[in-house]
Amino acid sequence: MTRTGRPCKHPHAESGAANLIEYIMISGVLMGLLIVMMLLVNTNIMEDPANRLVYVAFTDIGNGVSTRIVDVYSIAPRDGTITTRFDIPDDIAGKEYTVEIGPGADPVDQDVMVFRGSVETHVALAGVGATRGVAGNTTGRGMNKISYNSSGYNG
C-alpha cells in the first residue's frame, strides 16, 4: 500500500522474505515452548497426582498393619505363641512397596514405615514399642504374618 491508502501495484521483494523470516521465528519460539511444556507435563500433571495417591495408600496400609500388631499385642498370652495372617495389596499404582517396623521419632516409640522410592509414610504403633519390642519387614506379595512368642525370638 502507498501512503495514500491505495494498493501498491508493485509489491516489494523484501516483504516476502520478511514474512518468511517472521513465520520461521514465531514457529521456532512456539516449538521451543512446546518442547519445554512436553518435558514438564510428565512431572507436574502425571507424577505428582500419582505420588499423592501412593502416599494416601501407604498411609492406609500402615494404619492397617499397625492395627493388626496392636490387636495381636492386646490378646497376646503370658506364656505361649500367637500368630495371625493378613493380606495387604500386592502393589500400589502398579509397583511394589516395602513395609518395615522400626524405631519412631521418639526412641521409645516404634512405627510402621511403608515406602517405595522417594515416597514413604510413617504410622505410629500406638505405644506397643514402649512395652514390647516389635521388629520385622514385609512386602505386599502373598500372605503376611504377625507372630508373638512370650519367650521372644532369637535372631
Side-chain angles (χ1 to χ4, degrees):
M1 294 187 69
T2 62
R3 292 185 183 246
T4 59
R6 292 184 300 224
C8 181
K9 295 180 181 175
H10 308 298
H12 298 290
E14 302 88 30
S15 67
N19 287 340
L20 178 64
I21 291 172
E22 178 184 6
Y23 175 78
I24 290 173
M25 288 176 61
I26 290 175
S27 297
V29 168
L30 290 177
M31 288 300 287
L33 291 174
L34 181 68
I35 290 169
V36 169
M37 185 66 151
M38 297 271 302
L39 294 172
L40 295 175
V41 161
N42 186 39
T43 301
N44 294 328
I45 295 178
M46 296 171 68
E47 285 183 17
D48 286 347
N51 286 342
R52 276 188 235 119
L53 169 84
V54 168
Y55 181 82
V56 169
F58 284 178
T59 302
D60 290 343
I61 291 168
N63 283 326
V65 171
S66 175
T67 300
R68 288 177 180 101
I69 291 172
V70 170
D71 289 347
V72 168
Y73 168 75
S74 65
I75 62 172
R78 284 189 190 179
D79 295 318
T81 301
I82 186 170
T83 300
T84 183
R85 293 184 183 276
F86 65 97
D87 193 20
I88 53 179
D90 290 343
D91 56 32
I92 301 295
K95 296 180 183 173
E96 294 181 7
Y97 59 94
T98 303
V99 178
E100 283 188 5
I101 313 299
D106 186 6
V108 175
D109 294 332
Q110 288 187 304
D111 65 9
V112 178
M113 181 173 67
V114 185
F115 64 93
R116 170 182 74 210
S118 63
V119 180
E120 70 177 40
T121 62
H122 294 268
V123 177
L125 262 178
V128 173
T131 56
R132 291 198 168 99
V134 180
N137 60 13
T138 187
T139 62
R141 289 194 163 182
M143 291 297 288
N144 301 289
K145 181 171 72 169
I146 297 173
S147 295
Y148 168 77
N149 188 334
S150 59
S151 63
Y153 290 99
N154 295 328

